[in-house]
Amino acid sequence: MTDIADLSAVALLAAYADGSLSPVEVTEAVIARIEAREPELRALYAYDPAGARVAAKASEGRWRAGQPLPLDGVPCTIKENIATRGVAVPLGTAARDLVPATEDAPPAARLREAGCVILAKTTMPDYGMLSSGLSSFHPLTRNPWDLSKNPGGSSAGAGAAGAAGYGPLHVGTDIGGSIRLPAGWCGLVGLKPSFGRVPIDPSYYGRAAGPMTRNAADAARMMRELSKPDARDGMSLPPQDIDWLALEMDVKGLRLGLQLDAGIGLPVEPEVRAAIEAAAKAFAAAGASVEPAAPFLTREMLDGLDDFWRQRAWADIGRLSEARQAKVLPYIYAWAQGGRALSGERVYRGMSQMLAIRDAALKASAPFDFVLSPVSPVPSFAAELASPIHDPQRPFEHICFTVAANMSDQPSVSVHAGLTAGGLPIGLQITGRRFDDLGVLRMARAWESLRGGEVPWPR
């Protein structure tokens, strides 16, 4: 028997509809799971079981009255940097004042309107600028697959919560891989939508919010709600009528690119390469055409990106008092300080590399319907480290497969490809053409079918 806390959103909604389960008992099951696992995982911030129970009771009433909302009674979490009314937004750092937010940011508002039972916020590293569960404000977040390992980041708590069964729905944000990396290292489906597909506030170049779930069908149901319009995001796409639940697709005849070399950064480890190659062979056996996709990232692009983001981080941290600067995670402080003395011309040229990456990514992917690649070149790493290299002078060497889609506006999803010999998840990344978010989710669903079986979630 599947534990109630491990049921998908699709299964829960069906059970609520036929009366075999109620949101109240499901919420209690998820609370019990959290209380059992959270002392060792530390994935949550602003955990609110009392508020969740009130929301579950209200949801139960709507189901009994025959007036359910689209995601009524489904437990969810929301990343800490997505504002929820009445809860402070520390951005993962001890250097910020804890001022309660006055309203829900767009993703939180859409999930609340859809009837989700919001259990908690989820942890993140300082300013969201690490692929790690390390933070100066939050306790160290660990990976449920192996407590000595990192869940990744910056959507660290969301990755750990999803893998541990803290309910089926979790929302993260991604500006260089912050949804897909923890999804890959925790075995989840993590979608970075096309830029602007999901309204977010505040918005910024390349920044996206998206679902982190255990399967593509649940991610699609989240996207149906998250993609609804919100005037607060002036960079969002016009509303589009997308049949998010139409996930079945025949891959026969599709032209797929296989990228196993990003052009720069960490080399792909053998077990990761083998898993991605196996996925490509499965798609080919199902009738898709699979061809090599050439690398396109350069050292100039990666270093320019690093210059710009260091300076942007220092613009925030450098304004703080010395006492507050001392509270910032030392790794982040050392990294940001590298932007302190950069000339305006160098920062401008660094920012220009975002456009260079965009152009190169779109040109390289143009011949293909979708591109397959690793999410990360390496499996998860020690929980206490800020990145696989743990060197603030080399901060981006592990994000070379993920960051390009942020710059190019392309939708990109992580989906579980298999396990290493040591039992750690390996993420397959599927990147689509601009605005083809549904196509990317369909490819994720197709891979789930080709892969077969359920992911053996850690207990």
Side-chain angles (χ1 to χ4, degrees):
M1 293 289 291
T2 300
D3 189 299
I4 292 174
D6 291 310
L7 291 175
S8 69
V10 173
L12 289 178
L13 292 170
Y16 297 159
D18 68 19
S20 58
L21 285 175
S22 80
V24 171
E25 63 185 307
V26 169
T27 297
E28 290 299 334
V30 174
I31 288 172
R33 174 67 58 83
I34 289 170
E35 291 177 352
R37 298 301 312 274
E38 186 59 7
E40 60 188 7
L41 295 179
R42 309 305 293 269
L44 303 183
Y45 162 68
Y47 175 46
D48 183 16
R53 287 181 170 113
V54 170
K57 189 67 176 175
S59 173
E60 183 180 63
R62 289 190 293 270
W63 278 103
R64 287 177 174 173
Q67 298 177 327
L69 299 168
L71 294 173
D72 221 334
V74 180
C76 81
T77 71
I78 297 171
K79 188 175 177 181
E80 181 246 276
N81 65 342
I82 298 173
T84 53
R85 61 175 182 259
V87 179
V89 185
L91 298 181
T93 181
R96 278 173 58 93
D97 288 327
L98 298 180
V99 179
T102 57
E103 62 180 1
D104 288 338
R110 299 295 86 77
L111 294 178
R112 200 185 299 273
E113 291 162 2
C116 284
V117 174
I118 301 172
L119 286 150
K121 309 293 288 290
T122 50
T123 61
M124 59 181 281
D126 290 53
Y127 301 101
M129 292 308 298
L130 288 180
S131 303
S132 172
L134 193 61
S135 165
S136 65
F137 178 81
H138 301 292
L140 178 64
T141 304
R142 296 181 180 273
N143 192 320
W145 292 86
D146 181 340
L147 296 179
S148 72
K149 300 299 183 182
N150 215 296
S154 63
S155 303
Y166 290 10
L169 303 183
H170 311 273
V171 62
T173 63
D174 190 316
I175 204 167
S178 288
I179 286 173
R180 289 158 290 159
L181 287 163
W185 285 326
C186 292
L188 304 176
V189 170
L191 174 66
K192 185 219 64 84
S194 298
F195 180 67
R197 177 69 70 202
V198 173
I200 193 168
D201 182 33
S203 58
Y204 199 78
Y205 302 109
R207 185 171 185 244
M212 298 175 70
T213 62
R214 287 185 170 187
N215 60 61
D218 280 3
R221 277 158 178 77
M222 287 188 78
M223 284 300 296
R224 185 177 60 180
E225 307 310 315
L226 293 172
S227 61
K228 290 178 178 177
D230 194 301
R232 290 174 286 176
D233 184 353
M235 301 175 81
S236 61
L237 295 173
Q240 186 175 349
D241 186 16
I242 297 173
D243 187 358
W244 290 106
L245 306 191
L247 289 183
E248 299 307 315
M249 178 178 70
D250 187 352
V251 302
K252 186 176 181 179
L254 290 178
R255 190 175 182 188
L256 308 182
L258 175 61
Q259 187 184 46
L260 294 170
D261 179 1
I264 198 71
L266 290 173
V268 178
E269 291 194 2
E271 285 186 294
V272 174
R273 176 181 291 271
I276 306 309
E277 287 178 334
K281 289 177 181 176
F283 277 112
S289 170
V290 181
E291 306 168 34
F296 57 84
L297 279 188
T298 66
R299 175 54 60 187
E300 182 182 13
M301 290 174 182
L302 199 63
D303 288 351
L305 200 67
D306 186 22
D307 282 346
F308 173 75
W309 287 103
R310 283 178 191 263
Q311 202 281 332
R312 181 180 181 271
W314 184 253
D316 291 332
I317 294 171
R319 293 200 305 261
L320 302 175
S321 67
E322 288 187 7
R324 287 191 179 273
Q325 287 180 9
K327 295 181 179 181
V328 176
L329 190 74
Y331 180 103
I332 288 293
Y333 184 82
W335 171 71
Q337 202 171 31
R340 184 176 192 171
L342 295 181
S343 68
E345 178 183 358
R346 184 166 166 180
V347 174
Y348 164 74
R349 293 189 181 280
M351 186 174 185
S352 296
Q353 291 306 310
M354 291 198 288
L355 295 178
I357 294 171
R358 173 193 180 92
D359 292 344
L362 293 176
K363 183 180 292 185
S365 61
F368 307 109
D369 296 303
F370 303 93
V371 175
L372 312 178
S373 73
V375 174
S376 165
V378 299
S380 184
F381 50 99
E384 296 79 10
L385 301 185
S387 76
I389 296 179
H390 197 68
D391 180 357
Q393 301 310 312
R394 302 173 65 204
F396 293 163
E397 304 298 313
H398 61 292
I399 69 170
C400 295
F401 286 105
T402 54
V403 70
N406 295 88
M407 303 301 106
S408 64
D409 300 349
Q410 292 170 272
S412 187
V413 67
S414 171
V415 59
H416 181 66
L419 299 174
T420 67
L424 296 176
I426 297 169
L428 166 68
Q429 180 171 257
I430 304 169
T431 301
R433 292 174 175 166
R434 292 174 70 208
F435 315 129
D436 188 18
D437 302 71
L438 180 58
V440 163
L441 282 176
R442 284 173 168 169
M443 279 290 288
R445 177 70 190 97
W447 166 243
E448 289 173 342
S449 295
L450 291 172
R451 184 188 67 205
E454 293 294 323
V455 176
W457 298 105
R459 303 296 302 213

